[in-house]
């Protein structure tokens, strides 16, 4: 029975292989309507399993199909990007093959040159590649993928496209402090926060923006990018921001000084944290980095208490 199943499976694979090879040849056809259908068919085949995606790749569609990302027909472009996305999502090996063929750089250009739903499969493809491993995420970063994803997050009006961009940025930034810094330096943290807090945002956008923020914040030790969030983030996000400051400040004298002059220490004193909470613990670690009188000076109400002392102080009269 097992032999029979194996024979059946190899027969099906051979059948698919012939069809895939035929479709792959048609990707070079100049007819736009035909190419739309060809890329759509190859996408539908590739999405089902690693084996089928590998068969599509083995039909030598790369790097030739990358030129179709610049096709004058929008549906050809979109279906081509969708095919690359369906292949990239399966395994790190398939994603690496696409990187090696120049596919990531080509898709980044595609994301930069398109808008709306045409842009969407390119955004998702970059997210899938970045999700696989540190090295693949770095390939997206060094090819300026984060910059294009950040632009898409800001430019797009549709929540589902913003949600995809937020998710992709979270995948790029979640691996190491280096990855998180690269994403944070594209100034995406305030935009992600805005998407999360915006009253009209869909539930999906809020969820993906929050998750992306958390993914990036938990690795980010680039303090200048974190500081704006001290002033704007709600408590459930603020906890992650303050945690990162509590990790860096004990070991960095220059950062400690900057944290005072930028108003960060003052802001931390204004946070109302529950006694015994993780947030309170992070605040105590930060306060422990400074002399007691500095912490007191930046605490709420300190200037008023000083003024009261002036009011109550009796001048010393000299003869």
């Amino acid at each position: 029975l097992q032999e029979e199943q194996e024979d059946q499976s190899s027969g099906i694979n051979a059948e698919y292989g012939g069809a895939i090879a035929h479709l792959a040849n048609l990707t070079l056809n100049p007819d736009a309507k035909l190419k739309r259908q060809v890329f759509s068919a190859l996408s539908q085949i590739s999405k089902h399993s690693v084996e089928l995606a590998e068969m599509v790749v083995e039909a030598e569609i790369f790097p030739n199909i990358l030129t179709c990302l610049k096709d004058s027909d929008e549906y050809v472009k979109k279906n081509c990007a969708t095919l690359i996305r369906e292949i990239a999502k399966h395994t790190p090996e398939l994603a690496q093959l696409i990187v090696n063929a120049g596919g990531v750089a080509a898709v980044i250009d595609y994301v930069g040159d398109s808008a709306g739903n045409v842009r969407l499969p390119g955004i998702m493809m970059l997210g899938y590649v970045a999700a696989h491993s540190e090295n693949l995420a770095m390939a997206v970063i060094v090819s300026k993928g984060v910059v294009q994803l950040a632009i898409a997050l800001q430019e797009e009006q549709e929540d589902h496209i913003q949600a995809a961009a937020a998710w992709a940025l979270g995948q790029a930034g979640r691996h190491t402090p280096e990855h998180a810094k690269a994403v944070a330096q594209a100034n995406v943290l305030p935009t992600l926060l805005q998407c999360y807090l915006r009253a009209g945002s869909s539930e999906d956008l809020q969820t993906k923006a929050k998750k992306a923020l958390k993914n990036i914040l938990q690795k980010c030790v680039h303090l200048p990018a974190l500081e704006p969030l001290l002033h704007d983030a709600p408590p459930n996000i603020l906890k992650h921001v303050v945690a990162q400051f509590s990790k860096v400040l004990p070991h960095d004298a220059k950062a400690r000084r900057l944290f005072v002059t930028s108003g960060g220490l003052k802001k931390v004193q204004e946070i109302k944290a529950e006694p015994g909470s993780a947030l309170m613990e992070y605040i105590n670690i930060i306060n422990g980095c400074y002399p007691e009188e500095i912490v007191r000076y930046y605490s709420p109400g300190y200037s008023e208490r000083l003024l009261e002392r002036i009011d109550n102080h009796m001048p010393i009269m000299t003869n």
Side-chain angles (χ1 to χ4, degrees):
L1 182 65
Q2 191 179 351
E3 278 179 27
E4 195 179 313
Q5 283 176 334
E6 282 174 7
D7 288 347
Q8 207 173 5
S9 174
S10 64
I12 290 168
N13 281 352
E15 209 173 298
Y16 265 124
I20 289 166
H22 182 60
L23 286 168
N25 285 334
L26 293 175
T27 61
L28 303 171
N29 193 294
D31 186 298
K33 285 181 181 175
L34 177 62
K35 280 197 290 190
R36 288 180 194 178
Q37 299 306 321
V38 167
F39 284 126
S40 179
L42 288 170
S43 300
Q44 293 300 320
I45 292 167
S46 299
K47 78 178 184 183
H48 289 292
S49 70
V50 175
E51 291 75 22
L52 288 171
E54 285 173 345
M55 287 170 74
V56 171
V57 169
E58 283 161 11
E60 298 183 350
I61 58 168
F62 290 103
N64 292 341
I65 71 160
L66 299 180
T67 57
C68 294
L69 287 171
K70 294 186 180 295
D71 199 278
S72 57
D73 186 281
E74 286 218 324
Y75 290 100
V76 170
K77 287 196 293 187
K78 185 185 177 191
N79 293 354
C80 180
T82 302
L83 170 57
I84 298 168
R85 177 192 74 192
E86 295 299 349
I87 295 168
K89 76 180 185 185
H90 285 296
T91 65
E93 292 75 22
L94 282 169
Q96 187 63 59
L97 189 145
I98 292 168
V99 172
N100 294 348
V104 163
V107 169
I108 290 166
D109 287 344
Y110 168 83
V111 170
D113 294 339
S114 53
N117 281 318
V118 176
R119 202 179 212 169
L120 185 59
I123 290 170
M124 292 179 71
M125 179 271 185
L126 295 176
Y128 282 129
V129 171
H132 282 305
S133 72
E134 287 180 23
N135 288 344
L136 285 164
M138 195 49 74
V140 172
I141 289 167
V142 297
S143 302
K144 303 287 187 285
V146 166
V147 174
Q148 287 303 335
L149 289 170
I151 291 168
L153 183 68
Q154 280 197 309
E155 277 184 357
E156 291 296 338
Q157 302 300 308
E158 297 279 343
D159 280 13
H160 69 285
I161 302 172
Q162 283 191 311
W167 167 77
L169 286 162
Q171 298 308 312
R174 72 181 173 85
H175 296 281
T176 71
E178 192 182 354
H179 291 76
K181 181 181 180 181
V183 174
Q185 283 182 318
N187 201 32
V188 300
L189 297 178
T191 314
L192 286 169
L193 184 63
Q194 191 183 3
C195 290
Y196 172 55
L197 295 177
R198 196 170 65 219
S201 291
S202 67
E203 191 179 334
D204 184 48
L205 175 54
Q206 288 181 331
T207 302
K208 286 191 167 65
K210 180 186 174 186
K211 179 72 175 164
L213 274 169
K214 190 176 169 185
N215 281 347
I216 298 160
L217 288 173
Q218 286 179 334
K219 294 292 181 183
C220 188
V221 291
H222 181 60
L223 300 188
L226 297 179
E227 202 142 315
L229 272 67
L230 271 179
H231 302 274
D232 303 322
N236 59 336
I237 302 294
L238 192 61
K239 174 178 69 177
H240 300 295
V241 178
V242 177
Q244 296 310 104
F245 280 101
S246 74
K247 289 176 192 173
V248 176
L249 293 175
H251 312 288
D252 190 332
K254 188 181 174 187
R256 288 198 294 273
R257 184 180 178 85
L258 274 172
F259 194 59
V260 174
T261 55
S262 66
L265 185 62
K266 181 176 187 291
K267 178 59 191 170
V268 165
Q269 306 317 309
E270 293 165 5
I271 295 170
K272 293 175 174 61
E274 290 286 323
S277 65
L279 181 55
M280 191 74 240
E281 189 183 326
Y282 302 144
I283 291 170
N284 288 338
I285 292 169
I286 291 169
N287 287 346
C289 296
Y290 297 94
E292 200 178 316
E293 61 269 27
I294 295 288
V295 175
R296 234 188 357 256
Y297 178 78
Y298 287 106
S299 297
Y302 182 73
S303 54
E304 286 82 359
R305 289 196 296 276
L306 278 182
L307 287 170
E308 274 176 31
R309 286 178 64 187
I310 292 168
D311 290 341
N312 299 329
H313 183 71
M314 295 298 293
I316 297 167
M317 307 299 289
T318 55
N319 292 331

